[in-house]
């Protein structure tokens, strides 16, 4: 909260004046009445009350806020203007003490008397709104801010933004857009937060296309802000505009705007979705190497998967093996062995497949079948035959393995090898 500034007794006496008006805040701006209020004669605080208020402020200037409050509370002003003024100062002092419940109570009392000068009464409406926002009383804050606009006939971008934020906090998301737009319209300089309030509401309403439109506006307004680019890039994922998302994230990547691990993952996802998995793999591998993406199993595995999708099988096998080492993942060793077999790296394939079996891989039939093939191409017929016999124990590969067993046996015999 904004703290009450200390004032000298002279400055205080110069401020103890106000305008008398008879009409309370109305439902919509009455500009004739507003002008009447502004131009009405001022009223000076009574001499008796004024002297005691000055005394209270002397205590306040000595950092004796509690004593100043006690002094003001002893007063029993005889007219509404004096009462409203004393309540106004009590509200400000309690706000400085961060006793917001009391501050709100006295400010409400000051407003209700409808006796302060125009400027001071207007300030109380706005201060009440700020205090209510700060204490989570958003419904009351919206009313206070609307009362301020009705009372003054003025509009303020910050006030509209606080109204928008209050509706958001109340989860009345459909009411956020209008005041947020007014805040944007009235503010002389573009304010990111006003746009972000709208984006938050659109996401809650699942109006992702609108969120994207605001994101595009933010990139145009703040092209040098890294967050605007990566945020927009992530928004396109929600609307399945993968080509646009990739373009935006590529720009952000090349400009060095990525600050979080997730940014690299989003770009990788776009490359994959746009059927360019090799680029995803390269981005991931470099990010892991540079420490931008943590070298943990799930990230290493993602790199392996991207290389696998890109048909870069040898490199994929390398990353599957690395991922497998984190927790002795038998299935990943099997995958690495299978890819190495496809790449005709038979000796390496045998090592990975045997490791998978050693760790209790679930797909035993498939693993033994691949192992038999790797041995066969190395002309290790006995080991190939032993492996294919083991493959027959798995119902899922039994039929295939029986056919292969005959083939391996015949080939071994032709080579003069007894099985």
């Amino acid at each position: 909260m904004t703290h009450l500034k200390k004032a000298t007794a002279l400055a205080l006496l110069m401020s103890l004046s106000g305008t008398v008006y008879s009409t309370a805040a109305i439902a919509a701006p009455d500009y004739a009445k507003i002008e009447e209020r502004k131009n009405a004669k001022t009223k000076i605080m009574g001499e008796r009350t004024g002297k005691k208020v000055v005394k209270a402020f002397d205590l306040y200037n000595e950092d004796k806020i509690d004593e100043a409050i006690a002094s003001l509370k002893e007063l029993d002003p005889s007219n509404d203007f004096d009462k409203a003024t004393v309540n106004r100062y009590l509200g400000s002092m309690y706000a400085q003490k961060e006793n917001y419940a009391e501050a709100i109570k006295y400010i409400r009392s000051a407003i209700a008397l409808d006796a302060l000068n125009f400027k001071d009464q207007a300030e109380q409406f706005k201060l009440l709104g700020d205090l209510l926002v700060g204490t989570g009383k958003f419904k009351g804050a919206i009313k206070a801010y609307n009362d301020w606009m009705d009372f003054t006939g003025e509009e303020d971008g910050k006030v509209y933004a606080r109204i928008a934020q209050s509706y958001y906090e109340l989860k009345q998301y459909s009411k956020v857009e209008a005041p947020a737009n007014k805040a944007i319209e009235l503010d002389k300089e573009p304010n990111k937060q006003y746009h972000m309030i709208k984006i938050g509401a659109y996401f809650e309403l699942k109006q992702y296309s609108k969120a994207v439109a605001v994101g595009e506006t933010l990139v145009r307004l703040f092209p040098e802000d890294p967050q605007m680019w990566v945020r927009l890039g992530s928004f396109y994922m929600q609307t399945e505009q993968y080509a646009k998302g990739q373009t935006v994230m590529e720009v952000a990547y090349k400009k060095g705007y990525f600050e979080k691990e997730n940014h690299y993952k989003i770009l990788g996802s776009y490359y994959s979705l746009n059927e360019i998995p090799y680029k995803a793999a390269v981005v991931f591998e470099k990010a892991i190497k540079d420490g931008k993406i943590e070298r943990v199993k799930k990230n290493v595995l993602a790199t392996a998967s991207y290389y696998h999708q890109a048909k870069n099988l040898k490199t994929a096998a390398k990353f599957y093996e690395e991922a497998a080492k984190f927790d002795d993942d038998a299935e990943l060793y099997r995958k690495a062995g299978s890819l190495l077999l496809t790449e005709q790296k038979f000796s390496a394939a045998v090592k990975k497949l045997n490791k998978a079996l050693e760790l209790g891989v679930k797909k035993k039939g498939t693993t033994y079948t691949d192992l038999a093939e790797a041995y066969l191409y190395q002309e290790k017929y006995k080991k190939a035959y032993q492996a294919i016999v083991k493959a027959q124990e798995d119902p899922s590969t039994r039929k295939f393995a029986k056919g292969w067993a005959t083939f391996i046996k015949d080939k071994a015999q032709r080579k003069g090898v007894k099985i």
Side-chain angles (χ1 to χ4, degrees), residues 175-378:
K175 295 182 179 180
V176 169
E177 182 180 45
N181 282 340
K182 288 294 292 183
I184 292 166
E185 175 190 332
L186 292 169
D187 224 43
K188 293 180 180 179
E189 295 294 328
N191 189 307
K192 298 171 190 175
Q193 294 307 312
Y194 298 173
H195 294 275
M196 291 307 302
I197 293 171
K198 289 174 62 179
I199 287 174
Y202 290 147
F203 265 82
E204 294 292 344
L205 294 167
K206 294 182 171 53
Q207 296 176 351
Y208 302 122
S209 294
K210 287 187 175 183
V212 165
V214 178
E216 290 171 340
T217 298
L218 283 170
V219 166
R220 288 194 295 271
L221 291 173
F222 306 99
E224 301 305 317
D225 188 328
Q227 289 189 0
M228 300 303 107
W229 287 88
V230 295
R231 187 176 285 124
L232 175 60
S234 68
F235 290 169
Y236 282 124
M237 190 70 74
Q238 298 293 332
T239 56
E240 299 183 2
Q241 293 177 278
Y242 304 135
K244 285 187 176 181
Q246 178 185 312
T247 299
V248 169
M249 292 304 283
E250 280 182 326
V251 171
Y253 180 59
K254 290 173 182 177
K255 286 179 174 286
Y257 288 166
F258 284 10
E259 297 174 353
K260 298 179 181 179
E261 183 174 294
N262 192 50
H263 298 157
Y264 295 92
K265 292 181 177 180
I266 291 171
L267 178 57
S269 295
Y270 279 130
Y271 280 138
S272 179
L273 290 164
N274 289 322
E275 299 182 356
I276 320 172
Y278 181 75
K279 283 191 173 183
V282 170
V283 166
F284 258 63
E285 183 176 7
K286 185 176 187 305
I288 291 173
K289 182 180 179 182
D290 294 344
K292 303 297 184 180
I293 292 180
E294 190 177 1
R295 190 180 289 274
V296 295
K297 181 180 178 180
K298 66 177 181 179
N299 294 333
V300 174
L301 180 56
T303 309
S305 297
Y306 287 139
Y307 274 122
H308 195 168
Q309 291 174 40
K311 309 301 182 186
N312 194 324
L313 304 186
K314 184 179 177 181
T315 308
K318 181 186 77 171
F319 281 101
Y320 277 133
E321 181 181 5
E322 183 180 339
K325 288 179 180 178
F326 280 96
D327 55 1
D328 284 338
D329 190 319
E331 174 59 19
L332 294 184
Y333 276 114
R334 185 199 66 78
K335 277 191 175 183
S338 179
L339 295 186
L340 289 167
L341 173 63
T342 303
E343 288 291 281
Q344 299 183 9
K345 304 296 180 182
F346 305 122
S347 181
V350 165
K351 289 180 181 179
K352 306 304 176 290
L353 294 168
N354 275 324
K355 183 70 173 178
L357 290 166
E358 176 189 324
L359 293 170
V361 69
K362 292 181 179 179
K363 296 182 178 180
K364 293 189 184 299
T366 301
T367 307
Y368 276 118
T369 299
D370 285 346
L371 185 60
E373 186 176 351
Y375 280 134
L376 179 63
Y377 283 115
Q378 293 180 84

Side-chain angles (χ1 to χ4, degrees), residues 1-2 25 87-88 91-92 95 99-112 116 119-148 159 162 166:
M1 293 296 171
T2 303
N87 286 335
R88 172 192 168 206
S92 296
N99 186 340
Y100 301 127
E102 286 296 293
I104 289 168
K105 182 181 79 173
Y106 280 103
I107 290 168
R108 285 191 188 279
S109 296
I111 291 171
L116 293 170
K119 180 181 177 183
D120 292 339
Q121 182 81 352
E123 287 177 350
Q124 294 309 289
F125 281 119
K126 194 179 284 189
L127 177 57
L128 177 61
D130 292 346
L131 288 169
L132 290 169
V133 165
T135 53
K137 297 178 175 63
F138 301 108
K139 185 176 180 181
I142 292 168
K143 182 180 184 306
Y145 289 134
N146 281 319
D147 287 345
W148 173 79
V159 169
R162 289 169 190 156
S166 294

